[in-house]
Amino acid sequence: MKLRGLIIFAATFLFAGAAQSGPEEFSDAFRVDLDEKLPAFSELQQKYAAQAQDYDKGYEFGWNIGTVFNDIFKNTITAYGGGEARIAPKNEEALLNMLEAMPKQYYQYIGPYLHQVPGMSEKILNMPGIKETKNQFPTRIAPQLKHIENLEFLSPSLYFLLMPEAWPYTIDLKEYSLPTPVRVKVKPRSAFWQKVYQIVPMSEFAPDAPQDEKIGRSALRMPNPDENTLITAADVKAFADTLDKVNDFANQKARKPLLFAAGGMIDLWETEQGSKLPLNQLKDMVNPCQRLVQRVQLLGWENEFQMLIGAEGFNLKTWAYTCDKTIKAYRVSKMTTDTLRSIKLYQSRYYEAEINKQTPYNAKLHKATAAAFLQMHQAPLADVMEVRKLRPLLHDKFLKNDNSLAILPLSLF
């Protein structure tokens, strides 16, 4: 094994299980309670139906529009774009947060366009740095575009293409010939190899040579696993055997949109109940399997899902816990030096001073995302060792399903 690979291997195992959960305010924010009593799907659907629509279209289906506009709809489309009401308050706040987090040198590429958007909020247009860009042409232009005549007549909506960062740099890549390998001249020692063949016959090196069967912990299933139970190689194999069935089940055309809708409704409901996360979807990154089971429970598909995983000895809870533990251990087992370096920087609070300079919402979102990233790579060393035994199988299964579990991306970085 090369030295670099050995270092990564050792660092990964030293790190496994030692990742902190992030800032204390998010220590238990990613926990999923599979016993939590959720409202009925129809109740949540009715409650959040108004939030899912930007405005009332005035009709239900495209084939039954009618021939007369009602007065409310007529007034709405007449006044559309005529005032600040075009931008919902929550979207205005989100745009303000994004602009506050953006380096001021990039305002020149988006400010002129914002001044041309009908109904744009005055609060945004009068921001320091944005206000001065009205009818101004960017001064930082990529060298690849400077020779173009009449470039100043470019539409402001395309000013972002003028950024030097949007264009690849010219790099002189030199090719070096491979060195000629130097073969060491060693005289064969026939007596030594004859002795080796007597101790270990050549037949034992054949690909189909029988292996000594040893029954140990890895070959046994863990009974009734929970959030804190260690997994075995047999558990990982059983979970891997359910992946194709689960993905086929969730990717059916009739189910896919309902699973998306169920996830959004759970996020809205948990936010109303007082979620500590500024973006509740971060739970899907940390515990995708438990979140999938939550959606299945909300939609009332428990029996159908149980039929898929029951053949491998799982129920909904044990499958969710085994699945999440396997994915986290798989991430840790494939961790690169870059990922490990990022995790150690987050743990050391290296970025804390820069994060605190942002708006309160952006700072909290940054800290929550960092905490989620740490928990995504938190796994006991024992779990990592068991997953390594079946890593090729998991790699093939994940690759076959585009590195996703049902509709949830696994983000296996």
Side-chain angles (χ1 to χ4, degrees):
M1 184 182 294
K2 295 182 179 179
L3 179 60
R4 181 177 178 274
L6 182 61
I7 294 174
I8 297 174
F9 182 83
T12 300
F13 285 160
L14 287 173
F15 172 78
Q20 300 172 0
S21 59
E24 294 181 359
E25 58 184 312
F26 304 113
S27 58
D28 61 344
F30 303 100
R31 185 176 179 275
V32 179
D33 186 2
L34 295 179
D35 293 320
E36 184 178 20
K37 183 65 176 177
L38 297 173
F41 178 70
S42 57
E43 180 182 338
L44 293 179
Q45 198 172 25
Q46 184 177 3
K47 180 177 182 181
Y48 299 121
Q51 298 186 24
Q53 296 181 354
D54 296 328
Y55 59 90
D56 183 7
K57 299 190 298 291
Y59 59 90
E60 290 188 31
F61 304 103
W63 60 83
N64 187 25
I65 295 178
T67 58
V68 180
F69 287 125
N70 59 47
D71 292 337
I72 298 176
F73 188 51
K74 177 182 177 181
N75 294 335
T76 300
I77 63 173
T78 302
Y80 182 72
E84 291 186 24
R86 180 180 177 187
I87 298 182
K90 62 177 182 180
N91 296 331
E92 178 188 65
E93 191 65 27
L95 186 54
L96 283 169
N97 284 323
M98 286 191 291
L99 291 172
E100 286 286 348
M102 182 183 298
K104 301 295 188 293
Q105 62 178 342
Y106 297 128
Y107 282 4
Q108 57 186 300
Y109 304 107
I110 61 173
Y113 173 69
L114 293 177
H115 282 282
Q116 292 189 352
V117 175
M120 179 56 64
S121 166
E122 292 294 331
K123 188 175 181 180
I124 293 174
L125 297 181
N126 288 322
M127 282 182 60
I130 295 294
K131 183 178 180 180
E132 294 77 11
T133 60
K134 184 176 182 180
N135 298 327
Q136 297 296 314
F137 190 74
T139 56
R140 290 177 69 251
I141 300 177
Q144 293 90 338
L145 303 176
K146 285 185 176 180
H147 67 282
I148 299 178
E149 296 182 2
N150 301 322
L151 188 62
E152 62 272 15
F153 295 105
L154 182 71
S155 169
S157 63
L158 298 176
Y159 280 0
F160 69 93
L161 295 175
L162 302 177
M163 287 192 299
E165 293 80 4
W167 293 82
Y169 293 98
T170 303
I171 302 176
D172 183 19
L173 297 177
K174 296 181 179 179
E175 294 187 3
Y176 298 93
S177 58
L178 295 175
T180 304
V182 179
R183 301 186 181 278
V184 181
K185 297 181 180 180
V186 180
K187 294 182 179 180
R189 299 167 56 190
S190 57
F192 169 76
W193 289 112
Q194 289 178 0
K195 188 65 175 178
V196 170
Y197 295 152
Q198 290 177 2
I199 299 174
V200 184
M202 287 293 293
S203 59
E204 294 189 10
F205 288 95
D208 58 347
Q211 301 292 326
D212 294 335
E213 295 187 4
K214 298 179 180 179
I215 299 178
R217 176 180 177 275
S218 297
L220 303 176
R221 293 288 300 275
M222 192 65 67
N224 301 320
D226 55 28
E227 295 174 279
N228 303 312
T229 307
L230 299 176
I231 58 175
T232 66
D235 294 326
V236 175
K237 175 66 167 59
F239 156 69
D241 290 340
T242 67
L243 265 176
D244 293 339
K245 299 176 185 178
V246 170
N247 279 287
D248 291 342
F249 170 83
N251 287 324
Q252 294 180 18
K253 290 184 178 180
R255 291 194 173 101
K256 209 168 185 178
L258 289 175
L259 285 169
F260 275 115
M265 291 176 187
I266 292 174
D267 288 330
L268 289 171
W269 186 79
E270 288 185 348
T271 300
E272 285 187 356
Q273 305 307 309
S275 174
K276 297 180 181 179
L277 296 172
L279 188 65
N280 210 55
Q281 289 88 339
L282 290 173
K283 284 187 177 181
D284 295 342
M285 296 170 55
V286 177
N287 295 305
C289 311
Q290 296 177 56
R291 296 291 278 175
L292 176 62
V293 167
Q294 263 194 324
R295 300 184 191 205
V296 169
Q297 291 173 333
L298 180 63
L299 293 167
W301 297 345
E302 298 97 321
N303 292 337
E304 296 173 75
F305 199 83
Q306 180 62 56
M307 293 291 290
L308 302 175
I309 61 177
E312 304 301 329
F314 290 114
N315 58 38
L316 268 67
K317 283 187 180 180
T318 58
W319 179 85
Y321 295 141
T322 303
C323 172
D324 282 333
K325 287 174 177 295
T326 300
I327 291 172
K328 291 176 183 177
Y330 182 80
R331 287 195 190 107
V332 175
S333 74
K334 292 179 66 68
M335 188 182 299
T336 63
T337 51
D338 291 336
T339 303
L340 181 61
R341 188 181 300 111
S342 299
I343 289 174
K344 300 307 292 183
L345 286 174
Y346 278 124
Q347 286 180 332
S348 65
R349 301 183 181 274
Y350 177 81
Y351 300 111
E352 189 166 4
E354 289 298 322
I355 293 174
N356 291 333
K357 293 179 183 178
Q358 302 179 12
T359 60
Y361 175 81
N362 280 346
K364 185 175 182 180
L365 180 60
H366 197 132
K367 292 178 181 178
T369 305
F373 181 74
L374 294 181
Q375 288 213 8
M376 287 170 62
H377 295 82
Q378 187 174 16
L381 177 58
D383 286 0
V384 178
M385 296 296 291
E386 293 298 305
V387 165
R388 280 183 61 85
K389 299 174 183 178
L390 294 169
R391 195 163 59 178
L393 172 64
L394 291 173
H395 174 270
D396 294 342
K397 289 287 185 179
F398 290 142
L399 188 63
K400 178 181 178 182
N401 295 291
D402 297 325
N403 282 338
S404 64
L405 175 70
I407 61 170
L408 301 175
L410 296 180
S411 301
L412 299 171
F413 49 79

